[in-house]
Amino acid sequence: MSSITRGPKFKLSRRLGLNVCGHPKAMDRAGRGTARSDKKLSPYGQQLLEKQRLRAYYGVGEKQMRIYVRKAQKVQGPTGTALVTTLECRLDNLVYRMGLANSVRQARQMVGHGHVHVNGKKVDIPSFIVSVGDEISLREKYRTNELFKANFEAAALNEYSYITKNQDNFSAVLTRMPEREEVPIEINDALVVEFYSKSSL
């Protein structure tokens, strides 16, 4: 990923006060007072900020986010937890979590270009929701790609308790649904739900 491509994402990360692109240097120049989260916000402003942070983190459009919220409202338990869990189980996000890509954006491109299999079949829809027990794998013809190999090897030590990785065949299985506290995102999802509860879904 070039500096030109990641530049706007770095700025967005600093503005939102959250590393939404996954790059380790995204927040290096983030100074106190530069993020919207550092400013005194109204209750609505806080809800809006959290909504923007969640959308940016998972790279989800507004229309799609509203669909996720509607579905989460039908699930038993906290709506915010159901929302984040669903987003976490998107195929593009799990390709990123397992280490095949160095950002959700790169993972989305990999899926869209047909580089990824789910249970042995090509799936090119980034928003595809992975179910417990599904195996995600890099298509065999791309396993010699130096970028993908480097990504996967560099992420060998990155462990998520709800994902079991197989380093030998560039694959991973979603072994169970993630608990909210296991999802590594600092978002007040209750405020996101409050934002959408006040608007027409």
Side-chain angles (χ1 to χ4, degrees), residues 98-149:
M98 65 187 281
L100 287 176
N102 59 26
S103 68
V104 174
R105 181 172 180 169
Q106 187 182 84
R108 185 174 300 114
Q109 291 174 339
M110 290 176 64
V111 174
H113 291 159
H115 297 345
V116 175
H117 278 173
V118 177
N119 298 329
K121 296 181 180 180
K122 184 178 76 171
V123 176
D124 57 9
I125 304 171
S127 62
F128 176 87
I129 301 299
V130 177
S131 299
V132 172
D134 283 351
E135 180 188 62
I136 305 165
S137 60
L138 182 65
R139 289 181 66 187
E140 193 167 355
K141 64 185 288 188
Y142 298 109
R143 294 177 189 178
T144 56
N145 180 289
E146 292 301 323
L147 174 61
F148 301 155
K149 284 176 63 178

Side-chain angles (χ1 to χ4, degrees), residues 5-51:
T5 303
R6 70 181 180 231
K9 281 290 186 180
F10 281 23
K11 289 181 180 178
L12 179 62
S13 294
R14 293 194 292 269
R15 181 169 66 83
L16 296 179
L18 179 74
N19 187 346
V20 297
C21 65
H23 195 284
K25 296 184 178 180
M27 303 297 288
D28 282 0
R29 293 170 56 192
R32 183 70 181 169
T34 60
R36 285 188 59 196
S37 55
D38 290 333
K39 297 176 172 59
K40 187 175 178 64
L41 298 173
S42 66
Y44 174 80
Q46 292 174 338
Q47 295 166 4
L48 177 62
L49 175 62
E50 291 303 291
K51 185 265 289 190

Side-chain angles (χ1 to χ4, degrees), residues 40-77:
K40 187 175 178 64
L41 298 173
S42 66
Y44 174 80
Q46 292 174 338
Q47 295 166 4
L48 177 62
L49 175 62
E50 291 303 291
K51 185 265 289 190
Q52 291 173 328
R53 283 157 58 110
L54 186 62
R55 274 189 52 205
Y57 186 86
Y58 286 104
V60 175
E62 181 63 31
K63 183 177 179 180
Q64 199 168 29
M65 182 63 82
R66 288 175 180 270
I67 292 173
Y68 284 132
V69 173
R70 282 200 297 269
K71 290 181 178 179
Q73 288 173 334
K74 298 176 182 178
V75 176
Q76 276 194 330

Side-chain angles (χ1 to χ4, degrees), residues 186-201:
E186 296 180 7
I187 288 286
N188 187 331
D189 44 74
L191 291 181
V192 179
V193 174
E194 287 177 15
F195 175 88
Y196 284 109
S197 69
K198 295 177 181 177
S199 61
S200 175
L201 290 174

